[in-house]
Amino acid sequence: MTLEILTSFLAWCTLINLVIIFVWWLVLSFAGGWLRGMHRKWFDLSDESFAAIHYKVLAYFKLLWIVFNLTPYLALRLFV
């Protein structure tokens, strides 16, 4: 695997994960009530625990996205 292929792969991974984060944020922002209702049917969750779980997982997802996709992509793009 060449560095150009790896850079291209990381660019696509970064873009796809950024779209996932953005759609997740949009759903939580504009359809949070619907999403809470759907989860309430499956699990016994309060509104506070629902929000805490989703925002915590979203924060971990963003952190992992930065560490494993964005940073390696930027390092390859800027220094190679």
Side-chain angles (χ1 to χ4, degrees):
M1 177 180 286
T2 65
L3 288 177
E4 291 83 20
I5 293 172
L6 183 60
T7 304
S8 176
F9 174 74
L10 285 171
W12 280 107
C13 287
T14 300
L15 181 67
I16 290 168
N17 283 307
L18 183 63
V19 168
I20 290 170
I21 290 170
F22 185 67
V23 168
W24 193 348
W25 174 79
L26 282 175
V27 170
L28 282 178
S29 296
F30 297 110
W34 170 78
L35 192 62
R36 254 190 313 276
M38 189 172 63
H39 279 88
R40 218 177 262 141
K41 290 178 185 176
W42 298 332
F43 309 107
D44 185 27
L45 291 175
S46 67
D47 289 344
E48 294 82 20
S49 63
F50 171 82
I53 289 169
H54 272 275
Y55 287 114
K56 187 182 290 188
V57 173
L58 184 59
Y60 287 145
F61 190 86
K62 285 193 293 189
L63 181 65
L64 291 172
W65 170 71
I66 289 169
V67 169
F68 291 113
N69 288 142
L70 186 62
T71 303
Y73 168 71
L74 291 176
L76 285 174
R77 182 79 174 159
L78 296 174
F79 298 115
V80 174

